[in-house]
């Protein structure tokens, strides 16, 4: 999913628009590999905003260090390929950006990552627990959050709701009632860019969490037999298809796209009343439909609860954060750990993240968010995640690329009723 692949935060792309200068000199797109001599290589995605965060931290650290940290940035697809090839080789970076979850687990299984559990124990209480846990594998800490949180949020159009005399839905039954009401008024209840399966995945992620709790997907991610055919999974899949067949997304959702801002425009212009999307949607709307934001018409709330479900209504799904890990083969592993320990929760680093519009995965930043652009939204986002008992990583990031691709393809068939719920879980049960 393109948005989830980006390093930048939810709001930063536009809150900082116009102030981002030329930062290309700080990074590069082709380092020679792992740190030798007195230099450490830090690899991450190429992102002008983040360079403004990390480069000052590197400069500060380097001023008092014998071994110097050097940042190198890559475009997304090239980075994934380069990291796969270099890990375990002499060309591996000392510190490397990753997505946590399954992306990280593959390197841990290959014994290519330093176990940070004991070495960074003093930091554990500084991060939001639900975000920090995504950097764990088998209960051990192998990665630390290094940028902002990006939960999936239920957005609604205040003016459209007011005109219809309706209240934003807090429960699944209320959502179904609101869907029927907007259909009767000729308004598409929910914008869905169904030409891209990752947008449909958000519904299944939340519904399985609400119906069965986070352990149900954890079983899938762990490859446990029968996880896809669990009754909670079948119920959540059925609820997704029922929602589509009820007309919640209109009749043309399969041709609506997110990357060309088609769904966002439908929502901002009031042709659709609601929109389930990552927190980056705020930035998208501020860039493309600024009067919608400045007019105070964008509303937001948690995903509706499912009465009778085993999941906690406060749980969230989405992009917990991105992470830094240390290569097991690094000649400067101690220095790399020292850099992470000194940097990631420091006052200056946290402030720099907020200054570029991100919401840090660090405890106690409400006061720092107050008074910043979009503070009402960023504070809501922070509180949503800080109160969440769990933060389930987007499935197509947590699963292997091949299973993730098959999942998205089958979801599109499910929403178009080309697969029944039973056929969907059966197909995913054999995906490899």
């Amino acid at each position: 999913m393109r948005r989830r692949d980006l390093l930048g935060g939810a709001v930063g792309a536009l809150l900082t628009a116009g102030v981002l200068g030329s930062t290309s000199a700080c990074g590069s797109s082709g380092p020679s590999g792992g740190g030798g001599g007195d230099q450490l290589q830090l690899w991450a995605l190429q992102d002008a905003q983040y360079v403004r965060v990390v480069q000052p931290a590197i400069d500060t650290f380097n001023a008092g260090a014998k071994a110097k940290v050097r940042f190198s940035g890559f475009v997304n697809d090239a980075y994934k390929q380069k990291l796969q090839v270099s890990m375990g080789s002499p060309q591996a970076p000392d510190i490397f950006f990753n997505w946590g979850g399954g992306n990280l687990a593959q390197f841990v299984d290959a014994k290519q990552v330093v176990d940070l559990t004991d070495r960074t124990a003093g930091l554990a209480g500084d991060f939001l627990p639900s975000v920090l846990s995504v950097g764990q594998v088998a209960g051990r800490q192998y990665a630390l959050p290094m940028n902002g949180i990006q939960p999936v949020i239920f957005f609604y159009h205040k003016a459209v709701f007011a005109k219809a005399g309706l209240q934003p839905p807090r429960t699944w039954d209320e959502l179904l009632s609101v869907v029927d009401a907007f259909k009767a008024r000729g308004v598409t209840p929910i914008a869905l860019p169904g030409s891209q399966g990752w947008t449909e995945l958000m519904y299944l992620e939340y519904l399985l969490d609400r119906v069965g709790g986070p352990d149900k997907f954890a079983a899938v991610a762990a490859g446990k037999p029968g996880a896809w055919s669990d009754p909670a999974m079948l119920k959540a899949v059925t609820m997704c298809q029922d929602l589509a067949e009820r007309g919640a997304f209109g009749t043309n959702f399969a041709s609506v796209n997110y990357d060309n801002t088609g769904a966002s425009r439908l929502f901002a212009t009031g042709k659709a009343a609601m929109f389930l999307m990552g927190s980056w949607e705020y930035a998208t709307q501020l860039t493309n439909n600024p009067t919608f934001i400045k007019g105070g018409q964008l509303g937001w709330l948690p995903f509706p609860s499912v009465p009778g479900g085993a999941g906690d209504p406060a749980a969230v799904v989405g992009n917990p954060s991105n992470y830094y890990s240390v290569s097991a083969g690094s000649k400067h592993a101690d220095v790399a750990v020292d850099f992470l320990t000194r940097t990631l929760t420091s006052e200056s680093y946290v402030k720099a993240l907020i200054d570029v519009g991100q919401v840090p995965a660090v405890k106690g930043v409400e006061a720092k968010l107050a008074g910043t652009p979009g503070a009402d939204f960023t504070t809501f986002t922070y509180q949503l995640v800080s109160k969440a008992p769990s933060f389930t990583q987007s499935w197509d990031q947590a699963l292997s690329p091949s299973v993730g691709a098959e999942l998205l393809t089958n979801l599109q068939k499910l929403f178009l009723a080309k697969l029944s719920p039973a056929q969907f879980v059966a197909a995913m049960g054999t995906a490899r």
Side-chain angles (χ1 to χ4, degrees), residues 49-85:
Q49 289 182 66
Y50 185 63
V51 171
R52 294 170 62 89
V53 175
V54 74
Q55 193 58 53
I58 290 173
D59 293 342
T60 298
F61 181 83
N62 285 349
K66 180 179 179 182
K68 310 296 185 184
V69 178
R70 181 176 184 270
F71 173 82
S72 295
F74 303 83
V75 296
N76 184 67
D77 290 342
Y79 177 73
K80 290 180 177 177
Q81 183 177 19
K82 189 173 183 66
L83 190 64
Q84 288 284 350
V85 172

Side-chain angles (χ1 to χ4, degrees), residues 32 39 50 63 106 174 237 252 260 286 318-319 342 344 352-353 375 405 421:
S32 58
Q39 188 175 89
Y50 185 63
Q106 62 179 322
E174 289 179 3
V237 171
N252 197 37
N260 67 7
L286 194 54
N319 287 356
R342 291 173 181 267
L344 297 181
L353 283 173

Side-chain angles (χ1 to χ4, degrees), residues 316-384:
V316 295
V317 307
N319 287 356
S321 185
N322 297 124
Y323 297 82
Y324 276 144
S325 296
V326 176
S327 297
S330 169
K331 297 178 181 177
H332 301 292
D334 289 341
V335 180
V337 173
D338 188 39
F339 172 77
L340 298 183
T341 302
R342 291 173 181 267
T343 300
L344 297 181
T345 60
S346 67
E347 286 285 333
S348 57
Y349 189 83
V350 169
K351 182 179 184 302
L353 283 173
I354 293 174
D355 286 347
V356 299
Q358 296 204 34
V359 181
V362 176
K363 291 181 180 177
V365 300
E366 291 101 326
K368 295 182 176 65
L369 294 172
T372 60
D376 51 350
F377 179 71
T378 56
T379 299
F380 165 81
T381 301
Y382 177 79
Q383 292 177 342
L384 182 72

